[in-house]
Amino acid sequence: MDDFSEKIAKKFRSQFPQWAEYCEEGDHEGTVIFEVKIPFPNGKGDAFLELDTFNDEVTVYFDSYHAHFDDFGENDAYDGALVLVQKITSNEYVIVSYWRGSQWCGSELVAAINLPTGNEEYPYANLVKICSWLGNYDNEIHCEPRG
């Protein structure tokens, strides 16, 4: 692994020793990266919270949402990724994704206290899916598309 990936791996293992078994070196486009795949605690068989370090970025994936973090300017890639991981695993935030049939329209991170009730953010969508770490907020909302 390169220095960036080593730095992120060390910080992640230190911060989350309980997830050490999910940490590994991986190959992405011929580059050795640090990657983590943590299974949802709610029993969704193939669902994971994922993190990797490809291309000097930390990318966090959860359901149909992902975000990139780098060390550009005053930013610290790990700190940004850590905040997102903590928001998701606190179960105080959820991922809301918008669909029109099988076509993905968009996703966003939303505080659980602000759960949507329809497709106001993406009027084109006819389905709103809510995914939470513990599963207690998971929901599918069918709605009339506009546009």
Side-chain angles (χ1 to χ4, degrees):
M1 284 192 296
D2 61 18
D3 290 343
F4 178 81
S5 294
E6 289 283 352
K7 175 183 85 169
I8 300 302
K10 183 177 179 181
K11 286 182 175 184
F12 189 88
R13 287 184 175 115
S14 171
Q15 185 84 31
F16 300 106
Q18 72 275 23
W19 290 334
E21 67 185 288
Y22 306 116
C23 300
E24 59 185 35
E25 289 184 6
D27 179 72
H28 186 80
E29 297 179 6
T31 301
V32 178
I33 62 171
F34 173 66
E35 56 186 10
V36 184
K37 282 182 140 182
I38 306 157
F40 282 28
N42 65 11
K44 290 183 182 177
D46 61 350
F48 296 92
L49 170 63
E50 299 181 47
L51 179 145
D52 73 40
T53 60
F54 181 65
N55 203 24
D56 287 340
E57 290 182 333
V58 179
T59 305
V60 178
Y61 307 85
F62 183 70
D63 191 50
S64 59
Y65 181 83
H66 75 278
H68 301 272
F69 303 91
D70 60 30
D71 285 339
F72 185 76
E74 297 294 315
N75 297 330
D76 181 292
Y78 181 76
D79 289 346
L82 174 65
V83 168
L84 180 56
V85 168
Q86 289 174 328
K87 282 181 175 182
I88 291 168
T89 59
S90 73
N91 208 50
E92 293 176 12
Y93 286 80
V94 301
I95 299 304
V96 177
S97 58
Y98 300 89
W99 301 82
R100 175 110 179 211
S102 62
Q103 180 185 4
W104 174 79
C105 301
S107 299
E108 60 183 338
L109 179 71
V110 175
I113 60 171
N114 295 323
L115 295 176
T117 58
N119 59 353
E120 292 78 19
E121 288 294 316
Y122 287 85
Y124 178 76
N126 64 357
L127 177 63
V128 179
K129 295 180 182 180
I130 300 171
C131 179
S132 62
W133 180 245
L134 297 177
N136 55 318
Y137 294 112
D138 291 7
N139 193 13
E140 289 189 357
I141 303 166
H142 297 271
C143 40
E144 283 297 316
R146 298 181 305 275

